[in-house]
Amino acid sequence: MGKHFYIHIPFCLNKCPYCSFYSVKPDSFAAINDYTAAVIKEIEICAADTGFVGGYSEDEDTDTVYIGGGTPSVLPPEGAVKILKKLGECFKLDLDNPSKTEITIEVNPFTADYGKLKLLREGGFNRISIGVQSLDNEVLKTLGRLHDSQKALDTVQAAQKAGFENVSADLIIGVPGETIAGVIKDTETLVNLGVKHISTYSLSIEEGTPFAKRYKNLDRFISQEDERAMYHGLRAFLATKGFIDYEISNSSLPGYESRHNSCYWRAVEYFAFGAGAHGYVNSVRFSHSENYKDYTEKLLTSGSLAMASYINTEEVLDDYEKMKEYMMLAFRTKEGVKLDYFKRRFNKDAETLFSEEIQRLFSRELIVKDGGALHCTKKGLNFANIIFEEFV
């Protein structure tokens, strides 16, 4: 059965004004190296903790590793490879076979070059996610990105030259100053370069970020109608290029779907390591300290061999909560809620268990039943939070 791992690298050279994820500027190279050593130690502790043995998905054999952030490409490539090799050693992963283990690392164009990308590919990473965000230099300035359009394009090509066939690019839509034509043009450029996967995220204003002060009312700067036109226009364009919109925010050529992120949308368990990382094992949702110095010191100075010493329990899910969570997450995907799969997995009938919720969504034309599954309608994609709230 598949095992899934997320490793959080909290370091960024510059905090983007829209970002609410835990990230900080590292104090020194020594701090980065110590943090890497702490993550490696936590992996060893987890593998040795016989009471912490969940993290297995029920329905496939592919393992996945995802190093995210922050900016993982701030790490020296040797550090990222050390983390990967330790995971492979401790959890018996096949790091040499992409069909057995999908291994993704996020990179920022500003901190990536051909030499670094080549070392990452040679070290075992077989999928790369590039934070392009936009190919419009004015939009990039608005987003506070350190790279420009040319650097983003150079990074895509450098990754391909380094041997990455499975290249994903992130785009942000709904940014003040962005246009529908510009978003489509950016997407076409990336597709023509051979990018296999596009993640499309609508700009959201998060509390506590500089954008929350700058754009208190985002509608004053860009209308919801324009943002939705960007979203649907981009997905429609990608469909003409053979891409499948397999999840609300993700499209790919067939066979290039993110297997790691798909484990989240199937609500299966996964391990997590690093400051600020959140995981789900043994029916427990847990988190780590959002202070990399505390995290590093605790791991490197403590002799404890129990994972409970390093994580915080956020929530313990019972069977009903697991079923609700599956419903909520499955509606994010193109395949939707597969009724036969739900019955096999939970030994319950989804349409009976959630009959009231499903009927309300039918009545509002937010979902349909098709081919033994429940799916979002186009209208449902625009009001997805209403669907999700039925199962919170």
Side-chain angles (χ1 to χ4, degrees):
M1 293 184 288
K3 302 182 290 293
H4 307 289
F5 304 88
Y6 174 76
I7 301 96
H8 191 71
I9 307 301
F11 304 122
C12 281
L13 297 185
N14 178 63
K15 181 81 168 181
C16 295
Y18 56 86
C19 179
S20 62
F21 294 115
Y22 171 56
S23 63
V24 293
K25 190 171 183 177
D27 288 341
S28 63
F29 285 114
I32 294 174
N33 291 334
D34 287 346
Y35 181 80
T36 301
V39 170
I40 287 172
K41 183 173 180 184
E42 189 187 7
I43 291 169
E44 292 173 333
I45 290 169
C46 180
D49 189 342
T50 56
F52 201 77
V53 293
Y56 297 91
S57 58
E58 300 92 335
D59 58 342
E60 42 78 28
D61 294 326
T62 303
D63 299 325
T64 70
V65 177
Y66 195 106
I67 299 187
T71 308
S73 49
V74 168
L75 285 184
E78 297 84 359
V81 171
K82 282 182 181 178
I83 291 172
L84 177 60
K85 298 299 186 187
K86 181 56 66 174
L87 266 177
E89 171 192 327
C90 289
F91 290 93
K92 306 298 187 291
L93 306 179
D94 185 348
L95 302 182
D96 299 320
N97 188 345
S99 68
K100 291 292 185 181
T101 312
E102 177 194 81
I103 309 166
T104 305
I105 188 166
E106 293 179 350
V107 302
N108 183 313
F110 190 76
T111 55
D113 57 30
Y114 171 71
K116 180 177 286 188
L117 298 173
K118 188 170 186 293
L119 288 173
L120 290 171
R121 182 67 190 93
E122 290 173 348
F125 291 91
N126 53 45
R127 183 176 184 272
I128 192 164
S129 177
I130 302 172
V132 172
Q133 315 310 4
S134 176
L135 293 176
D136 183 315
N137 285 331
E138 290 305 312
V139 173
L140 288 171
K141 288 178 184 177
T142 298
L143 291 171
R145 303 295 288 183
L146 296 177
H147 69 274
D148 61 14
S149 173
Q150 189 58 54
K151 177 59 175 168
L153 297 174
D154 290 346
T155 303
V156 170
Q157 293 174 307
Q160 294 166 330
K161 182 180 177 184
F164 283 97
E165 179 191 1
N166 196 347
V167 176
S168 175
D170 288 355
L171 292 175
I172 298 179
I173 62 171
V175 181
E178 218 168 21
T179 66
I180 299 169
V183 166
I184 301 292
K185 181 181 177 183
D186 290 354
T187 307
E188 183 173 24
T189 299
L190 292 169
V191 171
N192 288 342
L193 277 180
V195 169
K196 302 293 198 302
H197 184 284
I198 304 267
S199 295
T200 309
Y201 301 109
S202 298
L203 179 66
S204 60
I205 305 303
E206 305 292 340
E207 289 186 20
T209 65
F211 265 25
K213 296 179 181 178
R214 190 185 311 174
Y215 303 115
K216 289 183 179 179
N217 185 353
L218 191 59
D219 284 349
R220 290 177 52 208
F221 300 91
I222 185 166
S223 70
Q224 289 186 1
E225 290 78 11
D226 281 349
E227 185 277 331
R228 287 291 84 189
M230 290 179 192
Y231 174 80
H232 290 294
L234 187 154
R235 286 161 70 92
F237 169 77
L238 285 172
T240 69
K241 300 297 182 178
F243 279 65
I244 300 168
D245 53 344
Y246 72 99
E247 192 267 344
I248 281 179
S249 299
N250 291 275
S251 302
S252 75
L253 291 174
Y256 289 93
E257 300 86 350
S258 170
R259 299 178 199 165
H260 181 84
N261 288 339
S262 293
C263 89
Y264 300 148
W265 304 320
R266 292 197 312 278
V268 300
E269 297 190 349
Y270 60 95
F271 297 99
F273 305 105
H278 293 253
Y280 174 38
V281 172
N282 293 341
S283 301
V284 176
R285 293 213 171 274
F286 63 90
S287 64
H288 294 74
S289 167
E290 289 196 350
N291 184 316
Y292 85 89
K293 294 179 182 178
D294 288 349
Y295 170 86
T296 299
E297 181 179 4
K298 194 169 188 179
L299 265 298
L300 295 186
T301 61
S302 172
S304 173
L305 294 180
M307 278 298 292
S309 303
Y310 306 104
I311 60 174
N312 307 306
T313 298
E314 302 289 341
E315 182 182 15
V316 181
L317 276 65
D318 61 27
D319 289 343
Y320 182 63
E321 289 167 328
K322 291 177 183 178
M323 289 185 279
K324 287 198 302 180
E325 185 168 82
Y326 169 77
M327 295 290 289
M328 179 181 68
L329 293 170
F331 273 121
R332 294 186 61 93
T333 68
K334 189 177 186 70
E335 68 179 15
V337 175
K338 297 188 294 183
L339 298 173
D340 285 349
Y341 172 75
F342 187 97
K343 187 76 175 285
R344 290 196 308 273
R345 178 168 171 180
F346 299 110
N347 198 30
K348 299 283 185 180
D349 181 81
E351 292 179 291
T352 301
L353 188 64
F354 298 112
S355 59
E356 294 182 8
E357 293 89 341
I358 289 169
Q359 287 306 314
R360 281 195 292 269
L361 296 173
F362 276 144
S363 68
R364 300 185 69 169
E365 299 181 340
L366 298 180
I367 65 171
V368 294
K369 183 177 180 180
D370 178 40
L374 303 172
H375 305 268
C376 285
T377 61
K378 183 176 181 180
K379 179 181 177 182
L381 291 174
N382 289 335
F383 298 97
N385 283 342
I386 294 175
I387 299 174
F388 303 154
E389 286 168 4
E390 288 284 357
F391 304 100
V392 172

